[in-house]
Amino acid sequence: MATHPRPATATLPVTLADVQAAHARIGEQIVRTPFFISRTLSALTGATVYLKFENLQFTAAYKERGALNTLLQLNADTLGVIAASAGNHAQGLAYHANRLGIPATIVMPTNTPTVKVTQTEGHGATVVLHGDTFDAAYAHARELEATGGLTFVHPFDDVRVIAGQGTVAIEMLEDVPAIDTFLTPIGGGGLISGMAVVASAASQAPGGHPIEVIGVEAELFPSMYNRVKGTQMPCAGDTLAEGIAVKEPGAITAQMVEALVDDIVLVSERSLEQAVSLLLQIEKTVVEGAGAAGLAALLQHPERFAGKTVGVVLCGGNIDTRLLANVLLRDLARSGRLARLRIRLQDQPGALFNVARIFEQQRVNILELAHQRIFTNLPAKGLSLEVECETRDKEHLERLLGALRESGYTVSTIELG
């Protein structure tokens, strides 16, 4: 990993001049997204937290920047572009290619959710479904590139893409020069590579101050972490942060991360879920799991960033609504505001009424009830009652549990994993 002083970026594949040129090239055609302080998250984490709302781009992700920078540098006789992606890169490339009148083909695995296929086609792209995995889709895209005379646009391992993504950092430092830490999600490494070029140059500029660049990966997919730290942790699992679930980082990006990035931290699925929920509750903004990774790092490693002035990139907001609902409900359960209790009752008249009266006395709202008489190890005259209920907080829940036990009931909570 990089340590100060960093090498001159002129020796790397992407320079500050490249990022600055990209910013001038794309600036009028993308959204200059807000970069605001979050006083509530700052108080919660112990850092001064600024949020870069890249989820407010037209396709709800920063990927537009690199895609557009690449498209604007293609030869006029280009027959069209092609990419392999089931995510934000597909939509960003399709949207800007359509605006510019460039035919776009996107190869997606056959198991890609229909909504993603429809959205990409809605941006004017031709979608080809091929293979069960991203690797199969990628290989097919490279075949079509050769046979159709198309230009392949890589989602991260391309100097034009990296330079475009780095424009995020230019805007952040123009808006808040005091930033001393960039906290950036890493998938393939395009975003953090471009941002690190800007941070390195700003750190070495006359009158500048050191800017740490910290990457964030999901614990289930520590691919760049493995690459630069020499570890062999597995990259597999069903992560909420599918946008950064990359098994193999890019060759160009790995070189740049090794040279310019100060550290990489890993975050758990629970931290990612908490971050998605907090951003919706506190900032009233929807982010996907990958977009919440920076905040997840602040929540999971507060001592690492205490006292820092941190710029966090909310890199995307494309999350399935049903998944978002599950994340929010799980967060309510973990915070004690939603609970499922198992209560042992005698199977006799008035038993349910007597329990319900305790809930009423404690001002706890009952959402759902379920009796179980057959599939239980209780005696034949006993029954198990499961109650889903809504409380104000953990203390309120504990008062309810105490009241039930004081009345002679055996009660337990059904915990989340």
Side-chain angles (χ1 to χ4, degrees), residues 233-307:
M233 291 184 285
C235 290
D238 195 9
T239 178
L240 179 64
E242 77 279 351
I244 55 173
V246 174
K247 291 186 177 181
E248 290 292 336
I252 299 172
T253 56
Q255 176 190 355
M256 299 192 69
V257 167
E258 288 178 350
L260 299 176
V261 173
D262 294 281
D263 198 8
I264 300 173
V265 297
L266 305 179
V267 291
S268 67
E269 294 303 301
R270 179 171 292 198
S271 294
L272 288 165
E273 290 182 26
Q274 184 185 8
V276 168
S277 181
L278 282 175
L279 286 164
L280 185 58
Q281 294 176 61
I282 294 171
E283 298 302 326
K284 316 306 178 191
T285 193
V286 174
V287 295
E288 60 194 82
L295 177 57
L298 283 169
L299 296 171
Q300 188 169 331
H301 307 283
E303 71 291 340
R304 176 70 176 77
F305 304 101

Side-chain angles (χ1 to χ4, degrees), residues 178-202:
I179 293 293
D180 59 34
T181 305
F182 282 148
L183 195 49
T184 306
I186 299 180
L191 176 62
I192 198 168
S193 294
M195 292 184 64
V197 168
V198 177
S200 178

